[in-house]
Protein backbone atom coordinates (compact mmCIF):
# COMPACT_ATOMS: atom_id res chain seq x y z
CA UNK A 1 0.00 0.00 0.00
CA UNK A 2 1.28 3.47 -0.83
CA UNK A 3 1.52 5.86 2.09
CA UNK A 4 1.53 9.62 2.17
CA UNK A 5 3.85 11.19 4.77
CA UNK A 6 0.69 11.91 6.67
CA UNK A 7 -0.20 8.21 6.79
CA UNK A 8 3.37 7.26 7.62
CA UNK A 9 3.31 9.55 10.64
CA UNK A 10 -0.11 8.25 11.74
CA UNK A 11 1.12 4.68 11.39
CA UNK A 12 4.10 5.51 13.55
CA UNK A 13 1.96 7.16 16.23
CA UNK A 14 -0.54 4.33 16.12
CA UNK A 15 2.09 1.77 17.16
CA UNK A 16 2.01 2.92 20.78
CA UNK A 17 -1.58 4.18 20.88
CA UNK A 18 -3.10 1.14 22.62
CA UNK A 19 -0.36 1.02 25.26
CA UNK A 20 -0.65 4.76 25.87
CA UNK A 21 -4.39 4.36 26.49
CA UNK A 22 -5.33 6.50 23.51
CA UNK A 23 -7.73 3.94 22.04
CA UNK A 24 -11.12 4.08 23.72
CA UNK A 25 -14.46 2.34 23.31
CA UNK A 26 -17.58 4.28 22.46
CA UNK A 27 -20.96 2.56 22.60
CA UNK A 28 -23.95 2.97 20.36
CA UNK A 29 -27.28 1.72 21.71
CA UNK A 30 -29.56 -0.72 19.95
CA UNK A 31 -33.26 -0.69 20.71
CA UNK A 32 -35.82 -3.44 20.57
CA UNK A 33 -37.99 -2.27 17.68
CA UNK A 34 -41.18 -3.25 19.51
CA UNK A 35 -40.58 -1.92 23.03
CA UNK A 36 -38.23 0.92 22.10
CA UNK A 37 -36.00 -0.07 25.01
CA UNK A 38 -32.22 -0.15 24.78
CA UNK A 39 -31.34 -3.85 24.80
CA UNK A 40 -27.80 -3.78 23.49
CA UNK A 41 -24.81 -1.69 22.51
CA UNK A 42 -22.21 -1.85 19.79
CA UNK A 43 -18.66 -1.05 20.88
CA UNK A 44 -16.92 1.25 18.37
CA UNK A 45 -13.31 2.26 18.77
CA UNK A 46 -12.03 5.83 18.75
CA UNK A 47 -8.50 7.15 18.89
CA UNK A 48 -8.07 10.06 21.27
CA UNK A 49 -5.18 11.51 19.32
CA UNK A 50 -2.98 13.93 21.30
CA UNK A 51 -3.00 16.55 18.51
CA UNK A 52 -5.76 15.64 16.09
CA UNK A 53 -8.62 15.08 18.50
CA UNK A 54 -11.02 12.15 18.33
CA UNK A 55 -10.34 10.00 15.26
CA UNK A 56 -12.94 7.63 13.77
CA UNK A 57 -11.91 4.07 12.86
CA UNK A 58 -11.77 4.64 9.11
CA UNK A 59 -8.66 6.80 9.77
CA UNK A 60 -6.73 4.05 11.49
CA UNK A 61 -8.30 0.55 11.29
CA UNK A 62 -6.84 -0.09 7.81
CA UNK A 63 -3.42 1.02 9.12
CA UNK A 64 -3.81 -1.16 12.22
CA UNK A 65 -4.62 -4.13 10.00
CA UNK A 66 -1.52 -3.43 7.99
CA UNK A 67 0.96 -3.04 10.84
CA UNK A 68 -0.48 -5.83 12.99
CA UNK A 69 -1.72 -3.55 15.76
CA UNK A 70 -5.25 -4.77 14.99
CA UNK A 71 -4.61 -7.73 17.32
CA UNK A 72 -3.75 -5.57 20.35
CA UNK A 73 -6.50 -3.12 19.44
CA UNK A 74 -9.01 -5.94 19.01
CA UNK A 75 -8.01 -7.51 22.32
CA UNK A 76 -8.44 -4.14 24.01
CA UNK A 77 -11.90 -3.61 22.47
CA UNK A 78 -13.05 -7.07 23.56
CA UNK A 79 -12.04 -6.38 27.13
CA UNK A 80 -13.41 -2.84 27.13
CA UNK A 81 -16.69 -3.97 25.55
CA UNK A 82 -17.33 -6.98 27.77
CA UNK A 83 -16.02 -5.15 30.85
CA UNK A 84 -18.31 -2.16 30.35
CA UNK A 85 -21.31 -4.38 29.62
CA UNK A 86 -20.60 -6.36 32.79
CA UNK A 87 -20.50 -3.08 34.74
CA UNK A 88 -23.94 -2.23 33.33
CA UNK A 89 -25.24 -5.72 34.23
CA UNK A 90 -24.10 -5.22 37.82
CA UNK A 91 -26.15 -2.04 37.91
CA UNK A 92 -29.24 -3.82 36.63
CA UNK A 93 -29.00 -3.03 32.90
CA UNK A 94 -28.89 -6.40 31.11
CA UNK A 95 -27.47 -5.18 27.83
CA UNK A 96 -25.99 -7.29 25.07
CA UNK A 97 -22.72 -6.06 23.66
CA UNK A 98 -21.42 -6.38 20.11
CA UNK A 99 -17.73 -6.06 19.30
CA UNK A 100 -16.38 -5.70 15.75
CA UNK A 101 -13.64 -8.11 14.80
CA UNK A 102 -11.30 -7.98 11.87
CA UNK A 103 -10.98 -11.00 9.59
CA UNK A 104 -7.28 -11.00 10.55
CA UNK A 105 -8.19 -11.74 14.16
CA UNK A 106 -10.30 -14.74 13.18
CA UNK A 107 -7.37 -16.03 11.16
CA UNK A 108 -5.33 -16.45 14.35
CA UNK A 109 -5.95 -19.76 16.03
CA UNK A 110 -5.32 -18.17 19.47
CA UNK A 111 -8.25 -15.80 19.02
CA UNK A 112 -10.87 -18.14 20.47
CA UNK A 113 -8.75 -18.60 23.57
CA UNK A 114 -8.40 -14.82 23.89
CA UNK A 115 -12.17 -14.42 23.80
CA UNK A 116 -12.70 -17.18 26.38
CA UNK A 117 -10.05 -15.73 28.70
CA UNK A 118 -11.37 -12.19 28.36
CA UNK A 119 -14.91 -13.27 29.21
CA UNK A 120 -13.60 -15.13 32.23
CA UNK A 121 -11.42 -12.21 33.34
CA UNK A 122 -14.35 -9.79 33.38
CA UNK A 123 -16.85 -12.54 34.36
CA UNK A 124 -19.16 -11.74 31.45
CA UNK A 125 -21.72 -14.24 30.16
CA UNK A 126 -20.74 -15.33 26.60
CA UNK A 127 -24.42 -15.36 25.61
CA UNK A 128 -24.51 -11.57 25.93
CA UNK A 129 -21.55 -11.10 23.59
CA UNK A 130 -21.84 -10.94 19.81
CA UNK A 131 -18.88 -10.61 17.47
CA UNK A 132 -19.54 -8.67 14.28
CA UNK A 133 -17.75 -9.81 11.19
CA UNK A 134 -17.87 -8.01 7.90
CA UNK A 135 -19.01 -10.30 5.22
CA UNK A 136 -16.52 -11.85 2.87
CA UNK A 137 -17.29 -14.26 0.12
CA UNK A 138 -17.60 -17.92 1.18
CA UNK A 139 -14.48 -18.87 -0.78
CA UNK A 140 -12.52 -16.30 1.22
CA UNK A 141 -13.59 -17.87 4.49
CA UNK A 142 -10.63 -20.03 5.39
CA UNK A 143 -10.58 -23.26 7.36
CA UNK A 144 -9.10 -21.43 10.38
CA UNK A 145 -11.80 -18.77 10.31
CA UNK A 146 -14.53 -21.36 10.08
CA UNK A 147 -13.02 -23.33 12.96
CA UNK A 148 -12.78 -20.11 15.03
CA UNK A 149 -16.40 -19.25 14.34
CA UNK A 150 -17.57 -22.76 15.24
CA UNK A 151 -15.57 -22.73 18.48
CA UNK A 152 -16.88 -19.28 19.40
CA UNK A 153 -20.44 -20.50 18.81
CA UNK A 154 -19.78 -23.44 21.11
CA UNK A 155 -18.78 -20.95 23.81
CA UNK A 156 -22.19 -19.33 23.39
CA UNK A 157 -20.86 -16.21 21.67
CA UNK A 158 -23.10 -14.78 18.95
CA UNK A 159 -21.83 -14.18 15.42
CA UNK A 160 -23.19 -11.28 13.42
CA UNK A 161 -22.79 -10.62 9.72
CA UNK A 162 -22.18 -6.86 9.58
CA UNK A 163 -23.02 -4.54 6.67
CA UNK A 164 -25.25 -7.18 5.11
CA UNK A 165 -26.20 -6.18 1.59
CA UNK A 166 -23.04 -4.30 0.66
CA UNK A 167 -20.83 -7.08 -0.62
CA UNK A 168 -20.77 -10.73 -1.42
CA UNK A 169 -23.03 -11.97 1.33
CA UNK A 170 -26.00 -13.91 0.24
CA UNK A 171 -28.58 -15.82 2.09
CA UNK A 172 -26.63 -18.93 1.11
CA UNK A 173 -23.55 -17.74 2.92
CA UNK A 174 -25.63 -17.17 6.03
CA UNK A 175 -26.57 -20.81 5.85
CA UNK A 176 -22.95 -21.97 5.83
CA UNK A 177 -21.69 -19.77 8.69
CA UNK A 178 -22.72 -20.26 12.33
CA UNK A 179 -24.32 -16.80 12.28
CA UNK A 180 -26.84 -15.76 14.92
CA UNK A 181 -27.48 -12.26 13.62
CA UNK A 182 -27.61 -10.19 10.46
CA UNK A 183 -27.02 -6.44 10.44
CA UNK A 184 -28.73 -4.85 7.48
CA UNK A 185 -26.54 -2.15 6.04
CA UNK A 186 -27.82 1.41 6.17
CA UNK A 187 -28.09 1.49 2.38
CA UNK A 188 -30.89 -1.11 2.69
CA UNK A 189 -32.52 0.44 5.73
CA UNK A 190 -32.59 3.97 4.37
CA UNK A 191 -34.39 3.18 1.11
CA UNK A 192 -37.95 2.07 0.58
CA UNK A 193 -38.58 -1.55 1.41
CA UNK A 194 -38.38 -3.84 -1.58
CA UNK A 195 -40.23 -7.20 -1.69
CA UNK A 196 -36.97 -9.01 -2.43
CA UNK A 197 -35.43 -7.72 0.80
CA UNK A 198 -38.55 -8.59 2.79
CA UNK A 199 -38.17 -12.14 1.55
CA UNK A 200 -34.49 -12.31 2.58
CA UNK A 201 -35.23 -10.93 6.03
CA UNK A 202 -38.22 -13.25 6.54
CA UNK A 203 -36.00 -16.15 5.61
CA UNK A 204 -33.35 -15.09 8.14
CA UNK A 205 -35.94 -14.60 10.87
CA UNK A 206 -37.51 -17.94 10.06
CA UNK A 207 -34.14 -19.57 10.67
CA UNK A 208 -33.88 -17.96 14.07
CA UNK A 209 -31.43 -15.22 13.19
CA UNK A 210 -31.73 -11.87 14.90
CA UNK A 211 -32.04 -9.04 12.41
CA UNK A 212 -30.69 -5.58 13.25
CA UNK A 213 -31.28 -2.45 11.15
CA UNK A 214 -28.26 -0.15 10.96
CA UNK A 215 -28.21 3.53 10.02
CA UNK A 216 -31.64 4.42 11.40
CA UNK A 217 -31.43 8.20 11.11
CA UNK A 218 -35.10 9.15 10.87
CA UNK A 219 -38.61 8.05 11.83
CA UNK A 220 -39.01 6.86 8.26
CA UNK A 221 -35.98 4.57 8.54
CA UNK A 222 -37.35 3.16 11.79
CA UNK A 223 -40.62 2.51 9.97
CA UNK A 224 -38.65 0.59 7.33
CA UNK A 225 -37.11 -1.50 10.12
CA UNK A 226 -40.61 -2.24 11.43
CA UNK A 227 -41.93 -3.08 7.96
CA UNK A 228 -39.04 -5.52 7.53
CA UNK A 229 -39.80 -7.09 10.95
CA UNK A 230 -36.31 -6.33 12.23
CA UNK A 231 -35.73 -7.20 15.88
CA UNK A 232 -33.46 -4.30 16.69
CA UNK A 233 -32.56 -0.86 15.39
CA UNK A 234 -29.42 1.22 15.70
CA UNK A 235 -28.66 4.69 14.41
CA UNK A 236 -28.39 8.41 14.96
CA UNK A 237 -32.18 8.69 15.51
CA UNK A 238 -31.72 6.69 18.71
CA UNK A 239 -28.24 7.89 19.71
CA UNK A 240 -24.78 8.32 18.20
CA UNK A 241 -21.82 6.32 19.47
CA UNK A 242 -21.41 7.69 22.98
CA UNK A 243 -19.25 7.43 26.06
CA UNK A 244 -20.47 5.09 28.83
CA UNK A 245 -21.28 8.18 30.92
CA UNK A 246 -23.43 9.65 28.16
CA UNK A 247 -25.30 6.35 27.86
CA UNK A 248 -25.84 6.22 31.60
CA UNK A 249 -28.24 9.13 31.40
CA UNK A 250 -30.11 7.52 28.50
CA UNK A 251 -30.41 4.27 30.46
CA UNK A 252 -31.49 6.11 33.60
CA UNK A 253 -34.27 7.88 31.68
CA UNK A 254 -35.59 4.58 30.39
CA UNK A 255 -35.74 3.25 33.99
P1 LIG B 1 -19.79 -0.74 11.55
O1 LIG B 1 -19.41 -1.85 12.45
O2 LIG B 1 -20.74 -1.04 10.45
O3 LIG B 1 -20.35 0.38 12.52
C1 LIG B 1 -21.40 1.26 12.20
C2 LIG B 1 -20.87 2.61 11.77
O4 LIG B 1 -21.96 3.42 11.39
C3 LIG B 1 -20.16 3.37 12.90
O5 LIG B 1 -19.12 4.16 12.31
C4 LIG B 1 -21.27 4.27 13.41
O6 LIG B 1 -20.80 5.43 14.05
C5 LIG B 1 -21.98 4.61 12.13
N1 LIG B 1 -23.37 4.97 12.35
C6 LIG B 1 -24.14 4.70 13.43
N2 LIG B 1 -25.39 5.15 13.27
C7 LIG B 1 -25.43 5.73 12.05
C8 LIG B 1 -26.46 6.39 11.31
O7 LIG B 1 -27.61 6.53 11.74
N3 LIG B 1 -26.12 6.86 10.08
C9 LIG B 1 -24.86 6.72 9.57
N4 LIG B 1 -24.61 7.21 8.37
N5 LIG B 1 -23.87 6.09 10.24
C10 LIG B 1 -24.16 5.61 11.46
P2 LIG B 1 -17.69 4.23 12.98
O8 LIG B 1 -17.80 4.23 14.47
O9 LIG B 1 -16.96 5.34 12.31
O10 LIG B 1 -17.04 2.84 12.57
C11 LIG B 1 -16.79 2.53 11.22
C12 LIG B 1 -16.39 1.11 11.04
O11 LIG B 1 -15.12 0.85 11.65
C13 LIG B 1 -17.33 0.12 11.70
O12 LIG B 1 -18.47 -0.07 10.89
C14 LIG B 1 -16.46 -1.11 11.80
O13 LIG B 1 -16.42 -1.81 10.59
C15 LIG B 1 -15.08 -0.49 12.05
N6 LIG B 1 -14.79 -0.59 13.49
C16 LIG B 1 -15.22 0.19 14.51
N7 LIG B 1 -14.72 -0.22 15.70
C17 LIG B 1 -13.96 -1.31 15.41
C18 LIG B 1 -13.17 -2.21 16.22
O14 LIG B 1 -13.10 -2.12 17.46
N8 LIG B 1 -12.52 -3.22 15.56
C19 LIG B 1 -12.61 -3.36 14.20
N9 LIG B 1 -11.92 -4.39 13.63
N10 LIG B 1 -13.34 -2.55 13.42
C20 LIG B 1 -14.00 -1.54 14.02
MG1 LIG C 1 -20.36 -3.28 13.37
MG1 LIG D 1 -22.17 -2.07 9.86
MG1 LIG E 1 -39.51 5.22 2.71
Amino acid sequence: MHHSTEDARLLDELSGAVDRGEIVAYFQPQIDVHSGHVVGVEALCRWVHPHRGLLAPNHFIPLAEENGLIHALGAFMLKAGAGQAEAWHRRGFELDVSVNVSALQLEQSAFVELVAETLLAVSFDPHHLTLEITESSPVETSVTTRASLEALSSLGVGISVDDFGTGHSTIDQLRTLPATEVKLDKSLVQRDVEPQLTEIVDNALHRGLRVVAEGVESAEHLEHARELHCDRAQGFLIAPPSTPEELDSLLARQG
Side-chain angles (χ1 to χ4, degrees):
M1 200 194 275
H2 173 76
H3 288 299
S4 60
T5 16
E6 186 75 357
D7 272 2
R9 175 171 308 158
L10 211 56
L11 192 59
D12 188 47
E13 293 167 338
L14 184 61
S15 305
V18 175
D19 289 340
R20 289 192 301 269
E22 293 170 6
I23 303 295
V24 298
Y26 270 50
F27 295 89
Q28 186 176 34
Q30 295 182 345
I31 58 166
D32 177 301
V33 168
H34 310 287
S35 72
H37 282 159
V38 177
V39 288
V41 288
E42 178 179 12
L44 294 157
C45 66
R46 297 289 182 267
W47 181 3
V48 187
H49 191 282
H51 313 302
R52 296 172 210 227
L54 200 64
L55 294 183
N58 61 317
H59 292 285
F60 61 90
I61 289 283
L63 294 175
E65 288 184 332
E66 200 181 330
N67 80 349
L69 194 76
I70 192 69
H71 300 289
L73 188 152
F76 168 79
M77 288 300 292
L78 254 177
K79 188 155 190 197
Q84 180 56 49
E86 178 57 24
W88 273 317
H89 280 222
R90 292 202 173 140
R91 289 168 39 210
F93 302 111
E94 283 246 319
L95 305 179
D96 294 326
V97 65
S98 297
V99 176
N100 293 282
V101 300
S102 160
L104 294 175
Q105 292 174 273
L106 290 169
E107 272 301 302
Q108 292 216 327
S109 52
F111 181 66
V112 177
E113 218 170 298
L114 173 79
V115 174
E117 281 168 4
T118 304
L119 290 168
L120 208 59
V122 301
S123 43
F124 192 63
D125 179 353
H127 295 93
H128 284 293
L129 173 69
T130 294
L131 299 179
E132 296 191 2
I133 56 171
T134 301
E135 52 173 49
S136 53
S137 72
V139 279
E140 283 168 34
T141 313
S142 76
V143 175
T144 317
T145 293
R146 269 170 198 284
S148 296
L149 293 175
E150 294 293 348
L152 288 163
S153 298
S154 304
L155 289 176
V157 173
I159 305 295
S160 179
V161 178
D162 205 349
D163 307 325
F164 184 84
T166 55
H168 313 274
S169 63
T170 59
I171 203 70
D172 287 334
Q173 188 198 353
L174 289 179
R175 248 188 281 274
T176 66
L177 291 176
T180 55
E181 181 184 280
V182 180
K183 286 189 90 168
L184 300 182
D185 188 71
K186 59 179 183 296
S187 59
L188 298 179
V189 173
Q190 296 181 350
R191 69 170 181 240
D192 286 342
V193 173
E194 288 161 14
Q196 196 192 352
L197 181 60
T198 309
E199 202 177 305
I200 290 170
V201 171
D202 279 347
N203 192 308
L205 290 168
H206 185 73
R207 290 189 2 252
L209 294 169
R210 183 160 71 203
V211 179
V212 182
E214 276 197 305
V216 172
E217 295 179 357
S218 67
E220 191 190 3
H221 300 160
L222 184 58
E223 195 44 44
H224 294 166
R226 290 212 174 90
E227 250 179 273
L228 285 164
H229 306 119
C230 291
D231 299 295
R232 295 182 179 187
Q234 177 181 345
F236 297 154
L237 176 71
I238 298 132
S242 310
T243 64
E245 295 72 32
E246 286 166 338
L247 278 190
D248 278 346
S249 43
L250 187 88
L251 292 169
R253 277 202 301 280
Q254 130 179 339

